[in-house]
Amino acid sequence: MDPVDFIHDVALADAPAALRSRLPVMLLDLIGVGIGGAETPLSALIRGHAASQFGGDVPLFLDGRTASPVGAALAAGMTIDALDGHDGFNPSKGHIGCPLFAALLPFAAGRSGQDLLAAMAMGYEFGARAAMAQHGTVPDYHTSGSWGAVTAAAGVARLLRLDRDQTRHALGIAEYHGPRSQMMRCIDHPTMVKDGSGWGAMAGVSAALLARDGFTGAPALTVEKAPDFWADLGQRWYGLEQYFKPYPVCRWAQPPIEALLSLRRAHALTSRDVTRIEVESFHEATRLATAEPQTTEEAQYSTSFPCAVALVHGTVGPAHLTGAALHDPETLRLSRALAFRESSHANRAFPVKRFARVTLHLADGRRLVSDWHEPRWDHDAPPTGSELRNKFRTLAVPGLGADRAAAIEAAVDGLIDGPADDLLTLLAQPISR
């Protein structure tokens, strides 16, 4: 199917039943990660920026203030991205749902829940191919915000019911002005710019609104000049090939976390038993090398620190990546004691597969070696709906309280038969109880 036709013509009923049933929990997962992200300094800064610099009457995600659609998309995208726990797509080494949902939020008022879910279903398919087309035709590894801008423009074009010509121009404007930000720069120097998803959502919203008013920008080269990446549109459903994150850190750090936890369980270890950690993994993972993070962003874009957290606590959660937890002596001891080794086996498999193997050196002289591990909750071994709901509650209840968290969950479940406004009202309220 032609990509522009697909944006407007694909219906929720066209998606496989498995995807239709998964979409609500995918949406719930994004919201839960956003709730966790809203409690970070990054989110507070970007929401304040949107409210003060982008005047308008669109409610800001989890804030209580308002901004323009452009500002609201920026703030929502960066708030979700502030906690690195949202879904992703292995072939693109990035995230579709975050910029897509952030861009749709300002335009969902007054629409049915099915309209929102259908736009999400379309967007995952469009975004997967836009991402692969860009990565397959340019030399640099760009953040999700780059192709996320084109995806965001597609989603907004659908909700605004732009005509075919306007939609082509929206995609072209978004591709031209989307943030071609270098991902490995953020990996090597972690800061609040992160994966560019908020900026991509902002650029995509701007592009669709400009195209509606007559601004021109076609063609989008990744859409119109890369046909091989779009040949199976409407046949293969990449919405069913997204991974999910059990831990709110970079996906590349999660295979060694699983390897460490497997040894911890199998040998009933405590952190005090371990003197040194060796991690074998692919090249990109070895560059997540901040052993003593000073910020939440540095902790999320580290391999050594989350691995140390996992040994100390048996898991990795938001509370382990901020504030006083960054200075925990036992975690820092283990983080400093971690050494990387690049693996040709892991390099060959990346990015479709992410492998790591861990060796633990123990105080009693033993040396324990794990099997090769992949991240949990990959697309070929996805979490159950119950697991994703439990993840949502773990993230949402501390910030919102049980009642409001339950109301959001019920509103998401009600989208298939009801309006989007019930959910939007809940998401517009401030994060504080």
Side-chain angles (χ1 to χ4, degrees):
M1 182 183 290
D2 175 81
V4 175
D5 290 339
F6 182 83
I7 290 170
H8 295 286
D9 295 345
V10 69
L12 189 60
D14 296 326
L19 179 58
R20 296 198 304 271
S21 65
R22 186 180 292 181
L23 275 170
V25 288
M26 294 172 74
L27 180 55
L28 194 67
D29 188 63
L30 287 168
I31 292 169
V33 173
I35 292 168
E39 302 199 77
T40 64
L42 188 166
S43 176
L45 287 168
I46 201 65
R47 286 183 282 118
H49 177 75
S52 64
Q53 301 300 319
F54 293 85
D57 58 3
V58 175
L60 286 171
F61 183 52
L62 301 170
D63 187 86
R65 292 172 288 184
T66 60
S68 68
V70 172
L74 169 67
M78 294 195 76
T79 291
I80 295 168
D81 205 22
L83 189 67
D84 201 350
H86 44 299
D87 61 28
F89 183 53
N90 284 333
S92 71
K93 307 184 287 290
H95 310 274
I96 301 169
C98 178
L100 172 65
F101 177 55
L104 295 176
L105 262 180
F107 302 95
R111 302 186 186 279
S112 72
Q114 283 208 30
D115 285 342
L116 177 58
L117 292 174
M120 292 290 293
M122 179 281 298
Y124 275 105
E125 304 314 311
F126 189 95
R129 291 164 177 83
M132 291 188 291
Q134 182 180 300
H135 284 297
T137 55
V138 298
D140 281 357
Y141 169 20
H142 296 108
T143 66
S144 301
S146 55
W147 47 264
V150 186
T151 305
V156 176
R158 178 185 175 102
L159 289 187
L160 291 179
R161 297 181 175 86
L162 301 188
D163 65 30
R164 179 182 173 84
D165 195 50
Q166 290 170 325
T167 299
R168 289 186 62 242
H169 286 297
L171 301 177
I173 297 164
E175 183 185 77
Y176 192 85
H177 287 302
R180 292 290 178 106
S181 37
Q182 304 90 355
M183 188 69 226
M184 296 312 295
R185 176 176 169 183
C186 182
I187 295 298
D188 293 337
H189 307 283
T191 64
M192 291 182 180
V193 296
K194 301 197 77 177
D195 196 36
S197 293
W199 219 263
M202 177 179 70
V205 169
S206 294
L209 293 174
L210 283 167
R212 183 184 64 179
D213 293 341
F215 201 92
T216 58
L221 300 182
T222 53
V223 180
E224 299 191 23
K225 304 297 182 181
D228 290 347
F229 295 96
W230 299 89
D232 60 358
L233 189 61
Q235 301 169 32
R236 181 173 181 175
W237 290 83
Y238 284 109
L240 291 170
E241 298 185 32
Q242 307 300 302
Y243 65 73
F244 299 88
K245 287 186 177 182
Y247 316 113
V249 297
C250 182
R251 188 65 166 178
W252 303 346
Q254 300 203 17
I257 290 174
E258 298 298 347
L260 281 165
L261 290 176
S262 73
L263 292 176
R264 187 181 189 271
R265 290 188 297 266
H267 299 276
L269 299 175
T270 71
S271 62
R272 292 292 179 184
D273 296 323
V274 179
T275 60
R276 189 157 60 91
I277 306 166
E278 295 176 10
V279 171
E280 298 173 77
S281 196
F282 50 94
H283 168 77
E284 287 80 358
T286 68
R287 286 169 67 172
L288 297 166
T290 304
E292 301 179 40
Q294 301 301 304
T295 67
T296 298
E297 290 73 37
E298 290 180 354
Q300 291 178 28
Y301 282 141
S302 167
T303 295
S304 54
F305 191 81
C307 282
V309 166
L311 268 178
V312 173
H313 298 285
T315 190
V316 182
H320 302 134
L321 306 172
T322 189
L326 298 178
H327 310 291
D328 175 68
E330 178 66 356
T331 304
L332 288 173
R333 177 185 73 83
L334 289 167
S335 185
R336 297 186 194 106
L338 187 146
F340 290 108
R341 186 160 70 248
E342 192 171 327
S343 160
S344 58
H345 167 67
N347 279 339
R348 284 193 298 271
F350 183 78
V352 175
K353 294 284 186 179
R354 291 99 188 271
F355 289 118
R357 181 168 62 184
V358 165
T359 301
L360 296 182
H361 297 263
L362 305 187
D364 62 9
R366 286 183 294 161
R367 178 175 170 271
L368 304 177
V369 182
S370 75
D371 294 329
W372 286 101
H373 279 260
E374 295 183 68
R376 212 158 32 105
W377 294 356
D378 219 338
H379 76 277
D380 53 0
T384 64
S386 294
E387 286 175 317
L388 285 179
R389 288 178 186 275
N390 287 335
K391 176 187 170 184
F392 167 79
R393 293 163 191 159
T394 298
L395 291 168
V397 170
L400 302 183
D403 289 346
R404 186 174 165 202
I408 289 173
E409 190 171 351
V412 169
D413 289 338
L415 288 174
I416 197 67
D417 297 313
D421 287 350
D422 293 346
L423 175 62
L424 300 180
T425 299
L426 290 163
L427 297 184
Q429 299 168 21
I431 186 69
S432 57
R433 297 184 197 180

